[in-house]
């Protein structure tokens, strides 16, 4: 297991296949990620989440981690909402 996985986060390398302009003037980044079976999974992110100099055809590292503070805040808010509804 990679060191980053043991610390509650995971890093993946994804290929920036293309950037597509949208009708509203924004753009989306289309990534390809190769899974363990060798199949490619496509996923999309808004381009404003990319580094400023990112270009099509590059591999980017994406880090996924838990945000324990936000999770705890969301749980507290849900508990408060449940009390109000009772």
């Amino acid at each position: 297991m990679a060191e980053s996985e043991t610390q509650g986060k995971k890093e993946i390398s994804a290929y920036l296949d293309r950037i597509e302009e949208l009708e509203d003037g924004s753009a989306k980044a289309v990534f390809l990620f190769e899974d363990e079976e060798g199949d490619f999974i496509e996923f999309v992110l808004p381009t404003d989440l990319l580094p400023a100099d990112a270009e099509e055809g590059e591999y980017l590292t994406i880090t996924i981690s838990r945000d324990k503070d936000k999770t705890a805040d969301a749980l507290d808010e849900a508990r408060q909402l449940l009390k109000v509804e009772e």
Side-chain angles (χ1 to χ4, degrees):
M1 182 178 293
E3 180 180 340
S4 62
E5 289 182 56
T6 62
Q7 297 176 1
K9 68 179 179 178
K10 185 169 187 171
E11 292 183 345
I12 61 170
S13 180
Y15 179 74
L16 179 52
D17 185 53
R18 62 190 181 279
I19 295 175
E20 296 179 355
E21 301 294 326
L22 303 175
E23 289 181 17
D24 66 1
S26 65
K28 64 181 182 178
V30 180
F31 286 90
L32 297 176
F33 166 72
E34 189 173 5
D35 67 13
E36 293 176 1
E37 289 81 35
D39 296 322
F40 285 94
I41 299 168
E42 184 177 286
F43 65 95
V44 178
L45 293 174
T47 54
D48 55 341
L49 296 178
L50 299 178
D53 58 348
E55 296 180 0
E56 293 177 350
E58 293 184 312
Y59 279 88
L60 299 176
T61 300
I62 298 172
T63 303
I64 302 169
S65 61
R66 290 184 179 91
D67 189 330
K68 292 180 181 179
D69 291 335
K70 286 186 180 180
T71 300
D73 291 345
L75 286 172
D76 289 342
E77 185 176 338
R79 287 183 183 115
Q80 291 299 319
L81 289 172
L82 288 171
K83 286 181 184 177
V84 170
E85 293 178 9
E86 290 178 0

